[in-house]
Amino acid sequence: MMKRLIWIFLCLGVMAPLAGAHRLDLDYWIEDGDLIIEAWTGNDEPVKGGEVTLSSGDGSTLASGETNEDGQFRWKPGAPCEITIEVYAGQGHKKTITLTKDEMIELLEETGAIQQENVQNESVASSEEQEKETAPVAKSPRRSTKNPRALIERILIGFSFIMAAGGFYLALRNSKKIASIETLLRDRES
């Protein structure tokens, strides 16, 4: 029985890091006036060929396409509006982020892509006018393959797993000791 439990925990320990591969993350930023969307899995692999759909607040499609080899999609926004970014990476892995009009304005102003006085004068360009490029761009400013936070999370998850396995082992061992003590006490009473 004990060997079987040890094997179960060892298998879970080996498989646990693979569970992170099912998480889908995405980030966005403005570069050279284009909205860059980058998608990656929980184990920091880029989502290649992921389906990207950008929709306006009223539900109309602004742009659609696939992520490139680096997991990136590039789109030239027209006038700032509410934008819903949806990335589908297959097998039910989907991530959706909605940017409000104010967030888009702030994002475009921070990068110098638009001036505040131009915001009221621009109109949303049609999807035919939008220019998509698949050329790789820099990685997300908020994402890094050497992200210390991700490393700390993985260390804490591993430590938590080891502590849980140790706790389970101690509980099992103590239950056996308690059973043997109860048996001894019953034998003494009789």
Side-chain angles (χ1 to χ4, degrees), residues 9 12-14 16-17 150-168:
F9 275 109
L12 287 174
V14 169
L151 177 62
I152 291 170
E153 285 176 357
R154 289 181 179 164
I155 290 170
L156 288 175
I157 289 170
F159 181 72
S160 299
F161 177 78
I162 291 169
M163 294 299 292
F168 181 78

Side-chain angles (χ1 to χ4, degrees), residues 126-137:
S126 67
S127 60
E128 294 85 29
E129 295 172 356
Q130 300 305 320
E131 184 179 315
K132 294 183 291 182
E133 295 187 25
T134 58
V137 295

